[in-house]
Amino acid sequence: MINLEELVTEGINQNTSSIDKVSTTEMVKMINDEDKKIAYAVEKEIPNIAKAIDIIAEKLSDGGRLIYIGAGTSGRIGILDASECPPTFGVEPTLVQGLIAGGNKAIFESVEGAEDNKDYAIKDLKEINFSSKDILVGLAASGRTPYTIGALEYANELGSFTIAVTCNPNSLLSNTAKLSISPIVGPEVISGSTRLKAGTAQKMVLNMLSTGTMVKLGKVYENLMVDLRAQNQKLVERTKKIVCQATGVSKEKASQVLEETDYDVKLAILLIKTGLNLEKGKDILKENNGYLSKAIEQAISK
């Protein structure tokens, strides 16, 4: 039985006790003042977040996958972050995945009882053939959700590396995981509504985990997205802009080289910066595992 009174996230926030009586401007200011605390709470977890990124990058480099799992808001946040990795970093949709208690229906509406069953989590992980090569990030603001705890327990049994992201100290979820990330944001603006500060904190952590991992995997050059796929007109234009920003060439030149490389942004930048031909550029990128900075350095040093 969960004792909600023991959870920081379920406490009463004295700073917003009059939120139902103040003006709209004052109400919004109350929310904003509480939101200001989130980044500082996440900042305290930077060492653990950095450690997680290094482990995730190592696992993905070795053929593993990053799997987020959670219930309710936490599950939806995991799905959101996972779904944004392919268009942002050009990775396969299976590389980063999000699982939610109750399945796809639970993305849009509550599925009663789903989060209370550990067996459901095991079933969901088995359906994606989760293995020891993969890494599991369990998300739960309370740190007490049985579905998410069951997922981490199963992953631990398989020998997978497990990470907990929660907003309560010394939670069951944190104690189950091999690494815990716990930004303590305090009681919510509306008591118990963990889609607010806790949800934002979890989203900020996942932003760091996925972005940091992709930087480590060579998906970023300087601070530019160089592995995105030009799958629509907006992204075609974005590829041109990125090539221009990275090389200083005109939009016309960027368009010409992108067409030659089948809109491979990395390859286009490499060819422009080094003067290599198409085949040699492909070879050097492959030799450097797609790390554009290293490929450019190698080409220039020869």
Side-chain angles (χ1 to χ4, degrees):
M1 178 69 69
I2 297 174
N3 185 351
L4 295 180
E5 292 180 1
E6 296 177 356
L7 304 180
V8 172
T9 51
E10 298 291 333
I12 300 296
N13 192 327
Q14 298 301 325
N15 297 326
T16 60
S17 59
S18 62
I19 197 168
D20 64 329
K21 303 178 183 70
V22 299
S23 70
T24 305
T25 299
E26 289 174 296
M27 175 182 67
V28 173
K29 188 176 185 303
M30 283 182 181
I31 296 171
N32 184 238
D33 285 343
E34 291 299 310
D35 284 347
K36 291 174 184 176
K37 301 173 183 178
I38 302 169
Y40 292 109
V42 172
E43 182 181 31
K44 293 178 181 177
E45 291 298 302
I46 283 177
N48 290 328
I49 295 169
K51 188 182 298 183
I53 289 169
D54 286 336
I55 294 168
I56 295 168
E58 181 182 343
K59 288 287 187 181
L60 268 55
S61 295
D62 197 34
R65 300 170 296 173
L66 170 59
I67 310 298
Y68 297 130
I69 194 163
T73 296
S74 297
R76 295 181 191 104
I77 288 169
I79 289 169
L80 174 61
D81 195 74
S83 67
E84 290 175 341
C85 286
T88 306
F89 301 109
V91 298
E92 292 298 320
T94 53
L95 186 69
V96 184
Q97 298 181 45
L99 300 176
I100 185 170
N104 288 341
K105 179 182 178 183
I107 298 172
F108 305 100
E109 57 186 89
S110 175
V111 177
E112 298 302 330
E115 69 176 55
D116 296 326
N117 195 314
K118 290 184 177 183
D119 291 337
Y120 288 171
I122 297 171
K123 176 177 175 290
D124 289 345
L125 289 172
K126 285 182 175 179
E127 285 182 353
I128 64 166
N129 297 313
F130 186 87
S131 75
S132 59
K133 293 183 68 173
D134 301 321
I135 192 161
L136 187 67
V137 177
L139 302 155
S142 69
R144 302 293 184 97
T145 308
Y147 173 86
T148 312
I149 292 170
L152 265 62
E153 289 173 343
Y154 175 71
N156 285 337
E157 289 173 8
L158 294 180
S160 173
F161 196 86
T162 53
I163 299 170
V165 179
T166 178
C167 294
N168 277 297
N170 303 315
S171 67
L172 290 174
L173 190 69
S174 294
N175 293 331
T176 302
K178 295 175 181 176
L179 175 63
S180 176
I181 300 170
S182 301
I184 309 304
V185 295
E188 294 289 358
V189 171
I190 305 300
S191 178
S193 182
T194 52
R195 71 180 186 85
L196 298 171
K197 289 196 295 183
T200 301
Q202 288 178 92
K203 181 66 172 75
M204 289 176 71
V205 170
L206 296 200
N207 283 348
M208 291 178 176
L209 292 183
S210 57
T211 303
T213 297
M214 295 304 164
V215 171
K216 289 278 186 179
L217 294 178
K219 302 294 183 181
V220 175
Y221 171 67
E222 296 178 344
N223 63 351
L224 301 172
M225 299 187 300
V226 289
D227 253 339
L228 80 167
R229 297 174 181 174
Q231 296 176 321
N232 58 46
Q233 191 56 45
K234 180 187 76 173
L235 293 178
V236 167
E237 292 304 312
R238 182 169 290 165
T239 62
K240 295 175 186 177
K241 181 180 179 182
I242 290 171
V243 171
C244 291
Q245 290 171 324
T247 64
V249 300
S250 67
K251 188 174 180 180
E252 290 71 26
K253 178 64 175 178
S255 299
Q256 175 196 328
V257 181
L258 280 166
E259 288 179 12
E260 292 172 3
T261 62
D262 194 25
Y263 284 85
D264 185 322
V265 177
K266 276 185 183 175
L267 186 54
I269 293 171
L270 179 62
L271 299 189
I272 293 170
K273 278 188 165 287
T274 64
L276 294 172
N277 63 41
L278 187 63
E279 292 309 313
K280 187 61 177 174
K282 288 181 179 178
D283 290 342
I284 288 183
L285 263 181
K286 188 175 181 180
E287 288 172 22
N288 288 278
N289 298 314
Y291 286 80
L292 182 54
S293 293
K294 293 180 181 178
I296 292 171
E297 287 175 12
Q298 180 181 328
I300 292 175
S301 65
K302 287 187 174 181

